[in-house]
Amino acid sequence: MSEILASSRLPEAGAPDMPETLVGVFGEVSARYQEAAAVAVAGASLTFGELDRLSDTVAAQLTDRFPGPALRDVTVGLCVGRGLGMAVGILGILKAGAAWLPLEPLL
């Protein structure tokens, strides 16, 4: 993993080709390292490619439900435990252009 981080250095902040968002940075790293582990929790893991595809599904479901620019005014509550689902949900919500609000699943 440290090799991926070292070799995936992005341009300096403010450089013309620097992505402006977390989603943009993720997209660049994901395109380079589709098969590398992106997230691992309790023995389960997702590659960058898997995380990208699953989060695209979440984003598509949100944009189907809230079409147009209205999604930018939506805060999506995310009620999941710490795990792969949390990573997929957060990234999917951000890809859709919405904000996310963590909700405690044990309450």
Side-chain angles (χ1 to χ4, degrees):
M1 183 66 131
S2 61
E3 297 84 23
I4 292 172
L5 295 175
S7 64
S8 66
R9 297 274 187 246
L10 295 170
E12 292 293 321
D17 52 349
M18 175 65 184
E20 294 184 14
T21 66
L22 174 65
V23 172
V25 171
F26 175 82
E28 285 201 8
V29 174
S30 178
R32 291 183 200 169
Y33 304 104
Q34 287 285 307
E35 298 304 316
V39 61
V41 178
S45 65
L46 292 173
T47 65
F48 279 99
E50 293 167 333
L51 180 55
D52 192 35
R53 286 185 293 280
L54 290 169
S55 62
D56 281 345
T57 300
V58 171
Q61 290 172 350
L62 287 169
T63 55
D64 286 348
R65 185 169 194 135
F66 301 98
L71 192 54
R72 284 180 271 211
D73 296 328
V74 171
T75 300
V76 178
L78 185 61
C79 185
V80 296
R82 293 181 183 184
L84 300 178
M86 179 179 280
V88 171
I90 292 170
L91 186 58
I93 292 166
L94 295 176
K95 282 182 172 185
W100 68 280
L101 175 69
L103 302 173
E104 177 60 52
L106 299 176
L107 295 177

